[in-house]
Amino acid sequence: MRNDKRDEFVIPNALPVADLSSLHFRALPPLSLYIHIPWCARKCPYCDFNSHETRAAVPEERYVAALVADLEQALPGIRGRRVTSVFFGGGTPSLFSARSIDTILGAVRARLVLAPDAEITLEANPGTVEAGKFREFRTAGINRLSLGIQSFDPRHLKALGRIHDGNEARRAIEIARRNFDNINLDLMYGLPGQVVEEALADIETALGFDPRHLSCYHLTLEPNTYFYRYPPALPDDDATAAMQDGIEARLAAAGYEHYETSAFAKFGEPLIPHPSSLIPARSARCAHNMNYWTFGDYLGIGAGAHGKISFLDRISREMRVKHPERYMEAAERGAPVQEEHAVGADAVGFEFMMNALRLNQGFPARLFEERAGMPLTAVMRELDAAERRGLIERDRARIAPTPLGRRFLNDLLQIFLIKEAGLKVE
Protein backbone atom coordinates (compact mmCIF):
# COMPACT_ATOMS: atom_id res chain seq x y z
CA MET A 1 0.00 0.00 0.00
CA ARG A 2 1.15 3.53 -0.70
CA ASN A 3 1.62 5.67 2.37
CA ASP A 4 3.84 8.48 1.13
CA LYS A 5 1.06 11.00 0.44
CA ARG A 6 -0.56 11.92 3.72
CA ASP A 7 -2.62 14.71 2.11
CA GLU A 8 -4.44 12.02 0.14
CA PHE A 9 -5.47 10.10 3.27
CA VAL A 10 -9.20 10.86 3.36
CA ILE A 11 -11.52 9.89 6.20
CA PRO A 12 -14.88 9.17 4.55
CA ASN A 13 -17.91 10.76 6.22
CA ALA A 14 -15.95 11.56 9.37
CA LEU A 15 -17.48 13.21 12.40
CA PRO A 16 -16.11 16.64 13.34
CA VAL A 17 -12.56 16.31 14.60
CA ALA A 18 -13.43 18.12 17.83
CA ASP A 19 -16.09 15.56 18.78
CA LEU A 20 -13.85 12.97 20.43
CA SER A 21 -15.43 12.75 23.86
CA SER A 22 -18.37 10.47 23.07
CA LEU A 23 -19.51 7.79 20.65
CA HIS A 24 -22.02 8.29 17.85
CA PHE A 25 -23.32 5.57 15.51
CA ARG A 26 -25.23 6.17 12.29
CA ALA A 27 -26.06 2.46 12.10
CA LEU A 28 -25.47 -0.43 14.47
CA PRO A 29 -22.91 -3.16 13.64
CA PRO A 30 -23.88 -6.73 12.71
CA LEU A 31 -24.98 -8.88 15.64
CA SER A 32 -23.87 -12.42 16.51
CA LEU A 33 -24.94 -14.75 19.29
CA TYR A 34 -22.48 -16.73 21.43
CA ILE A 35 -23.81 -19.56 23.62
CA HIS A 36 -21.48 -20.96 26.27
CA ILE A 37 -21.77 -24.54 27.50
CA PRO A 38 -19.19 -24.83 30.28
CA TRP A 39 -18.77 -28.57 30.90
CA CYS A 40 -16.11 -30.89 29.47
CA ALA A 41 -15.15 -34.51 30.03
CA ARG A 42 -11.68 -33.48 31.25
CA LYS A 43 -10.08 -30.11 31.87
CA CYS A 44 -7.04 -29.77 29.59
CA PRO A 45 -3.86 -28.53 31.32
CA TYR A 46 -3.46 -25.61 28.87
CA CYS A 47 -7.08 -24.41 28.92
CA ASP A 48 -7.91 -21.06 30.53
CA PHE A 49 -11.53 -20.93 29.31
CA ASN A 50 -14.46 -21.07 31.72
CA SER A 51 -14.78 -24.85 31.54
CA HIS A 52 -15.59 -27.35 34.28
CA GLU A 53 -14.80 -31.04 34.33
CA THR A 54 -17.89 -33.23 34.67
CA ARG A 55 -17.71 -35.04 38.01
CA ALA A 56 -21.41 -35.86 38.18
CA ALA A 57 -24.44 -35.77 35.91
CA VAL A 58 -24.64 -32.49 34.03
CA PRO A 59 -27.90 -30.60 34.77
CA GLU A 60 -28.56 -30.29 31.05
CA GLU A 61 -32.28 -29.57 31.11
CA ARG A 62 -31.94 -26.95 33.84
CA TYR A 63 -29.04 -25.27 32.06
CA VAL A 64 -30.97 -25.08 28.78
CA ALA A 65 -33.86 -23.44 30.64
CA ALA A 66 -31.38 -20.96 32.17
CA LEU A 67 -30.02 -20.11 28.70
CA VAL A 68 -33.54 -19.44 27.43
CA ALA A 69 -34.29 -17.26 30.46
CA ASP A 70 -30.99 -15.40 29.93
CA LEU A 71 -31.86 -14.79 26.28
CA GLU A 72 -35.33 -13.58 27.22
CA GLN A 73 -33.92 -11.05 29.67
CA ALA A 74 -31.43 -9.75 27.07
CA LEU A 75 -34.07 -8.99 24.44
CA PRO A 76 -34.72 -5.31 25.30
CA GLY A 77 -31.13 -4.40 24.35
CA ILE A 78 -31.20 -6.14 20.94
CA ARG A 79 -34.85 -6.27 19.94
CA GLY A 80 -35.43 -6.02 16.19
CA ARG A 81 -31.79 -6.65 15.26
CA ARG A 82 -30.90 -9.52 12.91
CA VAL A 83 -28.51 -12.23 14.09
CA THR A 84 -26.02 -13.23 11.39
CA SER A 85 -24.23 -16.09 13.19
CA VAL A 86 -24.55 -18.35 16.22
CA PHE A 87 -21.64 -20.08 17.95
CA PHE A 88 -21.87 -22.81 20.60
CA GLY A 89 -18.59 -22.78 22.51
CA GLY A 90 -17.27 -24.21 25.72
CA GLY A 91 -16.26 -26.39 27.41
CA THR A 92 -17.49 -29.08 25.08
CA PRO A 93 -20.93 -28.24 23.65
CA SER A 94 -21.10 -31.63 21.92
CA LEU A 95 -21.53 -33.24 25.36
CA PHE A 96 -25.10 -31.94 25.24
CA SER A 97 -27.75 -33.88 23.36
CA ALA A 98 -28.93 -32.81 19.91
CA ARG A 99 -32.38 -32.38 21.46
CA SER A 100 -30.99 -29.71 23.81
CA ILE A 101 -29.24 -27.93 20.95
CA ASP A 102 -32.48 -28.04 18.98
CA THR A 103 -34.39 -26.58 21.95
CA ILE A 104 -31.90 -23.72 22.28
CA LEU A 105 -32.01 -22.90 18.57
CA GLY A 106 -35.80 -23.08 18.63
CA ALA A 107 -35.83 -20.52 21.44
CA VAL A 108 -33.45 -18.31 19.47
CA ARG A 109 -35.61 -18.42 16.34
CA ALA A 110 -38.75 -17.68 18.35
CA ARG A 111 -37.25 -14.56 19.94
CA LEU A 112 -34.75 -13.15 17.44
CA VAL A 113 -34.56 -12.47 13.73
CA LEU A 114 -32.10 -15.14 12.60
CA ALA A 115 -30.72 -14.60 9.09
CA PRO A 116 -31.79 -17.42 6.72
CA ASP A 117 -28.15 -18.03 5.79
CA ALA A 118 -26.82 -17.62 9.33
CA GLU A 119 -23.67 -19.58 10.11
CA ILE A 120 -24.40 -21.82 13.13
CA THR A 121 -21.26 -23.41 14.59
CA LEU A 122 -20.86 -26.04 17.28
CA GLU A 123 -17.53 -26.92 18.88
CA ALA A 124 -17.03 -30.66 19.30
CA ASN A 125 -14.45 -33.07 20.61
CA PRO A 126 -13.51 -35.98 18.37
CA GLY A 127 -14.32 -38.55 21.06
CA THR A 128 -16.47 -41.51 20.08
CA VAL A 129 -19.52 -40.39 22.09
CA GLU A 130 -19.64 -36.92 20.56
CA ALA A 131 -18.97 -38.16 17.01
CA GLY A 132 -21.98 -40.43 17.24
CA LYS A 133 -24.22 -37.37 17.54
CA PHE A 134 -22.96 -35.47 14.50
CA ARG A 135 -25.89 -36.38 12.23
CA GLU A 136 -28.38 -35.34 14.90
CA PHE A 137 -26.60 -32.02 15.40
CA ARG A 138 -26.93 -31.35 11.67
CA THR A 139 -30.66 -32.11 11.82
CA ALA A 140 -30.99 -29.76 14.80
CA GLY A 141 -29.70 -26.88 12.66
CA ILE A 142 -25.93 -26.84 13.12
CA ASN A 143 -24.32 -26.10 9.73
CA ARG A 144 -20.66 -25.69 10.74
CA LEU A 145 -18.70 -28.06 12.96
CA SER A 146 -15.43 -27.12 14.69
CA LEU A 147 -13.44 -30.15 15.83
CA GLY A 148 -10.82 -29.81 18.57
CA ILE A 149 -8.20 -32.14 17.08
CA GLN A 150 -5.04 -30.35 18.39
CA SER A 151 -2.76 -33.13 17.08
CA PHE A 152 -2.88 -36.54 15.45
CA ASP A 153 0.23 -37.73 17.30
CA PRO A 154 -0.64 -39.96 20.30
CA ARG A 155 2.39 -38.79 22.26
CA HIS A 156 1.43 -35.14 21.91
CA LEU A 157 -2.25 -35.81 22.59
CA LYS A 158 -1.27 -37.49 25.84
CA ALA A 159 0.97 -34.55 26.78
CA LEU A 160 -1.97 -32.19 26.16
CA GLY A 161 -4.30 -34.24 28.33
CA ARG A 162 -6.67 -34.97 25.45
CA ILE A 163 -9.07 -37.88 25.89
CA HIS A 164 -9.04 -38.95 22.22
CA ASP A 165 -6.28 -40.59 20.24
CA GLY A 166 -5.19 -40.06 16.65
CA ASN A 167 -7.42 -42.81 15.27
CA GLU A 168 -10.49 -41.39 17.01
CA ALA A 169 -9.65 -38.00 15.53
CA ARG A 170 -9.52 -39.46 12.02
CA ARG A 171 -12.79 -41.34 12.50
CA ALA A 172 -14.52 -38.25 13.85
CA ILE A 173 -13.45 -36.19 10.85
CA GLU A 174 -14.78 -38.85 8.48
CA ILE A 175 -18.13 -38.89 10.30
CA ALA A 176 -18.22 -35.10 10.27
CA ARG A 177 -17.55 -35.00 6.52
CA ARG A 178 -20.54 -37.26 5.89
CA ASN A 179 -22.82 -34.82 7.70
CA PHE A 180 -21.34 -31.34 7.25
CA ASP A 181 -20.09 -29.37 4.26
CA ASN A 182 -18.40 -26.79 6.48
CA ILE A 183 -15.82 -28.16 8.92
CA ASN A 184 -13.07 -26.48 10.90
CA LEU A 185 -10.17 -28.39 12.42
CA ASP A 186 -8.38 -26.92 15.44
CA LEU A 187 -4.67 -27.75 15.58
CA MET A 188 -1.90 -26.64 17.91
CA TYR A 189 1.86 -26.41 17.48
CA GLY A 190 4.77 -25.70 19.79
CA LEU A 191 3.70 -28.71 21.87
CA PRO A 192 5.79 -30.34 24.61
CA GLY A 193 8.63 -32.23 22.96
CA GLN A 194 7.41 -31.42 19.44
CA VAL A 195 9.84 -30.91 16.56
CA VAL A 196 9.20 -29.05 13.30
CA GLU A 197 8.66 -32.21 11.25
CA GLU A 198 5.97 -33.42 13.66
CA ALA A 199 4.08 -30.12 13.52
CA LEU A 200 4.10 -30.23 9.71
CA ALA A 201 3.01 -33.89 9.77
CA ASP A 202 -0.14 -32.85 11.65
CA ILE A 203 -0.85 -30.30 8.91
CA GLU A 204 -0.38 -32.91 6.19
CA THR A 205 -2.78 -35.27 7.93
CA ALA A 206 -5.35 -32.49 8.28
CA LEU A 207 -5.01 -31.53 4.61
CA GLY A 208 -5.78 -35.11 3.67
CA PHE A 209 -9.36 -34.46 4.83
CA ASP A 210 -9.69 -31.25 2.76
CA PRO A 211 -11.35 -29.13 5.48
CA ARG A 212 -12.71 -25.74 4.51
CA HIS A 213 -11.12 -24.07 7.51
CA LEU A 214 -8.12 -24.68 9.75
CA SER A 215 -7.26 -22.95 13.02
CA CYS A 216 -3.59 -23.34 13.93
CA TYR A 217 -2.70 -22.07 17.39
CA HIS A 218 0.67 -21.67 19.03
CA LEU A 219 0.47 -23.31 22.47
CA THR A 220 0.90 -20.61 25.10
CA LEU A 221 1.10 -21.00 28.86
CA GLU A 222 -1.85 -19.00 30.16
CA PRO A 223 -2.23 -17.95 33.82
CA ASN A 224 -4.57 -20.05 35.95
CA THR A 225 -3.76 -23.25 34.06
CA TYR A 226 -1.94 -26.41 35.12
CA PHE A 227 0.73 -25.83 32.48
CA TYR A 228 1.34 -22.33 33.83
CA ARG A 229 1.93 -23.69 37.34
CA TYR A 230 3.94 -26.68 36.14
CA PRO A 231 5.46 -25.67 32.78
CA PRO A 232 6.34 -28.53 30.42
CA ALA A 233 9.46 -28.48 28.26
CA LEU A 234 8.43 -26.61 25.12
CA PRO A 235 10.27 -26.08 21.81
CA ASP A 236 12.44 -22.94 21.74
CA ASP A 237 11.52 -19.78 19.85
CA ASP A 238 13.54 -20.71 16.78
CA ALA A 239 11.76 -24.06 16.50
CA THR A 240 8.28 -22.59 16.91
CA ALA A 241 9.08 -19.84 14.39
CA ALA A 242 10.12 -22.54 11.92
CA MET A 243 6.88 -24.40 12.64
CA GLN A 244 4.85 -21.27 12.02
CA ASP A 245 6.66 -20.44 8.80
CA GLY A 246 6.35 -24.01 7.57
CA ILE A 247 2.63 -24.20 8.38
CA GLU A 248 1.88 -20.90 6.65
CA ALA A 249 3.84 -21.89 3.54
CA ARG A 250 2.26 -25.34 3.30
CA LEU A 251 -1.28 -24.05 3.72
CA ALA A 252 -0.70 -21.27 1.18
CA ALA A 253 0.49 -23.88 -1.31
CA ALA A 254 -2.65 -25.91 -0.60
CA GLY A 255 -4.92 -22.97 -1.46
CA TYR A 256 -5.73 -21.65 2.00
CA GLU A 257 -6.00 -17.95 2.72
CA HIS A 258 -4.20 -16.91 5.91
CA TYR A 259 -6.72 -14.23 6.81
CA GLU A 260 -6.26 -13.91 10.58
CA THR A 261 -3.43 -14.55 13.04
CA SER A 262 -4.33 -18.22 13.58
CA ALA A 263 -7.00 -18.85 10.92
CA PHE A 264 -6.78 -20.30 7.41
CA ALA A 265 -9.74 -20.55 5.01
CA LYS A 266 -10.16 -22.49 1.80
CA PHE A 267 -10.61 -19.98 -1.02
CA GLY A 268 -12.43 -20.42 -4.28
CA GLU A 269 -15.14 -22.89 -3.27
CA PRO A 270 -18.75 -22.22 -4.40
CA LEU A 271 -20.00 -21.24 -0.97
CA ILE A 272 -23.13 -19.31 -0.02
CA PRO A 273 -22.12 -15.62 0.30
CA HIS A 274 -21.49 -14.54 3.87
CA PRO A 275 -23.90 -12.02 5.38
CA SER A 276 -20.97 -9.65 5.93
CA SER A 277 -19.83 -7.65 2.93
CA LEU A 278 -16.33 -7.81 4.46
CA ILE A 279 -16.02 -11.52 3.62
CA PRO A 280 -15.43 -12.55 -0.02
CA ALA A 281 -18.35 -14.55 -1.42
CA ARG A 282 -16.09 -17.48 -2.31
CA SER A 283 -14.30 -17.80 1.00
CA ALA A 284 -14.69 -20.20 3.90
CA ARG A 285 -13.72 -17.62 6.51
CA CYS A 286 -15.53 -18.10 9.81
CA ALA A 287 -18.31 -15.49 9.69
CA HIS A 288 -18.78 -15.52 13.45
CA ASN A 289 -15.13 -14.85 14.22
CA MET A 290 -14.94 -12.27 11.43
CA ASN A 291 -17.66 -10.36 13.25
CA TYR A 292 -15.40 -10.32 16.33
CA TRP A 293 -12.35 -9.19 14.36
CA THR A 294 -14.28 -6.40 12.62
CA PHE A 295 -15.63 -5.13 15.95
CA GLY A 296 -19.19 -6.26 15.41
CA ASP A 297 -21.65 -6.81 18.23
CA TYR A 298 -22.33 -10.08 19.98
CA LEU A 299 -24.67 -11.18 22.70
CA GLY A 300 -23.08 -13.79 24.95
CA ILE A 301 -25.32 -16.03 27.04
CA GLY A 302 -24.30 -18.84 29.36
CA ALA A 303 -21.96 -19.16 32.35
CA GLY A 304 -19.18 -16.58 32.12
CA ALA A 305 -20.11 -15.50 28.59
CA HIS A 306 -18.98 -12.05 27.47
CA GLY A 307 -20.95 -9.70 25.23
CA LYS A 308 -20.54 -6.41 23.38
CA ILE A 309 -23.64 -4.47 22.40
CA SER A 310 -23.66 -1.08 20.65
CA PHE A 311 -26.34 1.56 21.00
CA LEU A 312 -26.59 4.83 19.10
CA ASP A 313 -24.46 6.67 21.67
CA ARG A 314 -22.46 4.01 23.51
CA ILE A 315 -20.94 0.53 23.59
CA SER A 316 -21.76 -1.76 26.51
CA ARG A 317 -19.69 -4.77 27.57
CA GLU A 318 -21.11 -7.35 29.92
CA MET A 319 -20.19 -10.67 31.51
CA ARG A 320 -22.51 -13.36 32.83
CA VAL A 321 -22.11 -15.03 36.24
CA LYS A 322 -19.18 -17.41 35.82
CA HIS A 323 -19.82 -20.53 37.91
CA PRO A 324 -22.43 -22.80 36.24
CA GLU A 325 -24.50 -23.44 39.38
CA ARG A 326 -24.54 -19.78 40.40
CA TYR A 327 -25.26 -18.80 36.80
CA MET A 328 -28.34 -21.02 36.69
CA GLU A 329 -29.54 -19.59 39.99
CA ALA A 330 -28.97 -16.03 38.73
CA ALA A 331 -30.74 -16.67 35.42
CA GLU A 332 -33.69 -18.21 37.25
CA ARG A 333 -34.12 -15.08 39.34
CA GLY A 334 -33.67 -12.79 36.34
CA ALA A 335 -30.14 -11.49 36.99
CA PRO A 336 -27.60 -13.46 34.90
CA VAL A 337 -25.35 -10.44 34.20
CA GLN A 338 -22.56 -10.13 36.76
CA GLU A 339 -20.64 -7.18 35.30
CA GLU A 340 -21.54 -4.42 32.86
CA HIS A 341 -19.62 -1.34 31.83
CA ALA A 342 -19.52 1.20 29.02
CA VAL A 343 -16.50 1.35 26.73
CA GLY A 344 -15.16 4.88 27.07
CA ALA A 345 -14.10 7.07 24.17
CA ASP A 346 -10.50 6.79 25.43
CA ALA A 347 -10.58 2.97 25.23
CA VAL A 348 -12.57 2.25 22.07
CA GLY A 349 -9.61 2.84 19.73
CA PHE A 350 -7.53 0.19 21.47
CA GLU A 351 -10.44 -2.26 21.61
CA PHE A 352 -11.12 -1.84 17.90
CA MET A 353 -7.46 -2.25 16.92
CA MET A 354 -6.99 -5.23 19.26
CA ASN A 355 -9.48 -7.05 17.02
CA ALA A 356 -9.13 -5.54 13.55
CA LEU A 357 -5.33 -5.67 13.42
CA ARG A 358 -5.46 -9.45 13.81
CA LEU A 359 -6.66 -9.52 10.19
CA ASN A 360 -3.68 -9.92 7.88
CA GLN A 361 -5.32 -7.83 5.15
CA GLY A 362 -6.33 -5.19 7.68
CA PHE A 363 -9.60 -3.30 7.51
CA PRO A 364 -11.28 -0.61 5.42
CA ALA A 365 -10.50 2.83 6.85
CA ARG A 366 -14.22 3.67 6.93
CA LEU A 367 -14.84 0.72 9.28
CA PHE A 368 -13.30 2.50 12.26
CA GLU A 369 -15.96 5.19 12.36
CA GLU A 370 -18.72 2.71 11.54
CA ARG A 371 -17.83 0.29 14.34
CA ALA A 372 -16.04 2.49 16.91
CA GLY A 373 -18.42 5.43 16.71
CA MET A 374 -15.60 7.96 16.41
CA PRO A 375 -13.71 9.56 13.52
CA LEU A 376 -10.42 8.03 12.52
CA THR A 377 -8.72 11.27 13.59
CA ALA A 378 -9.20 10.03 17.18
CA VAL A 379 -6.33 7.56 16.65
CA MET A 380 -4.35 9.39 13.98
CA ARG A 381 -1.32 10.04 16.19
CA GLU A 382 -1.19 6.36 17.12
CA LEU A 383 -1.48 5.33 13.47
CA ASP A 384 1.33 7.73 12.58
CA ALA A 385 3.52 6.24 15.32
CA ALA A 386 2.78 2.68 14.18
CA GLU A 387 3.60 3.57 10.59
CA ARG A 388 6.89 5.23 11.54
CA ARG A 389 7.90 2.01 13.28
CA GLY A 390 7.01 -0.04 10.20
CA LEU A 391 4.18 -1.90 11.95
CA ILE A 392 1.30 -0.83 9.68
CA GLU A 393 0.80 0.29 6.11
CA ARG A 394 -2.13 2.38 4.88
CA ASP A 395 -3.63 4.28 2.02
CA ARG A 396 -6.89 6.16 1.56
CA ALA A 397 -8.97 2.99 1.72
CA ARG A 398 -7.31 0.45 4.00
CA ILE A 399 -5.12 0.03 7.09
CA ALA A 400 -3.21 -3.23 7.59
CA PRO A 401 -0.41 -4.65 9.72
CA THR A 402 2.87 -5.16 7.90
CA PRO A 403 4.65 -8.53 8.17
CA LEU A 404 6.64 -6.95 11.01
CA GLY A 405 3.43 -5.77 12.67
CA ARG A 406 1.90 -9.25 12.40
CA ARG A 407 4.96 -10.82 13.99
CA PHE A 408 5.07 -8.23 16.78
CA LEU A 409 1.33 -7.70 17.18
CA ASN A 410 1.52 -7.03 20.91
CA ASP A 411 4.02 -4.22 20.30
CA LEU A 412 1.70 -2.76 17.68
CA LEU A 413 -1.32 -2.88 19.99
CA GLN A 414 0.70 -1.35 22.82
CA ILE A 415 0.80 1.90 20.84
CA PHE A 416 -2.99 2.18 21.08
CA LEU A 417 -3.05 1.02 24.69
CA ILE A 418 -0.76 3.91 25.63
CA LYS A 419 -3.53 6.34 24.76
CA GLU A 420 -6.05 4.51 26.93
CA ALA A 421 -3.61 4.74 29.83
CA GLY A 422 -3.22 8.48 29.22
CA LEU A 423 0.45 8.30 28.27
CA LYS A 424 2.25 10.21 25.54
CA VAL A 425 2.63 8.61 22.13
CA GLU A 426 6.14 8.98 20.74
Side-chain angles (χ1 to χ4, degrees), residues 322-351:
K322 195 169 184 179
H323 190 275
E325 177 62 32
R326 290 193 285 274
Y327 165 76
M328 289 186 286
E329 293 171 355
E332 288 162 356
R333 67 173 184 268
V337 177
Q338 178 175 306
E339 298 176 11
E340 184 175 7
H341 70 273
V343 179
D346 58 343
V348 71
F350 168 72
E351 292 207 8

Side-chain angles (χ1 to χ4, degrees), residues 203-278:
I203 297 299
E204 289 299 331
T205 302
L207 287 175
F209 295 102
D210 195 31
R212 286 188 172 172
H213 194 280
L214 283 165
S215 299
C216 300
Y217 301 102
H218 186 310
L219 173 63
T220 55
L221 305 185
E222 301 290 352
N224 302 316
T225 65
Y226 182 88
F227 272 1
Y228 189 81
R229 294 191 298 273
Y230 306 100
L234 299 178
D236 61 27
D237 290 344
D238 289 341
T240 55
M243 292 176 192
Q244 180 178 342
D245 291 343
I247 289 169
E248 292 176 3
R250 181 65 187 96
L251 292 179
Y256 286 81
E257 172 198 21
H258 186 193
Y259 69 96
E260 186 270 337
T261 301
S262 303
F264 302 79
K266 200 73 178 289
F267 197 80
E269 296 189 6
L271 302 179
I272 297 172
H274 281 284
S276 171
S277 61
L278 298 171

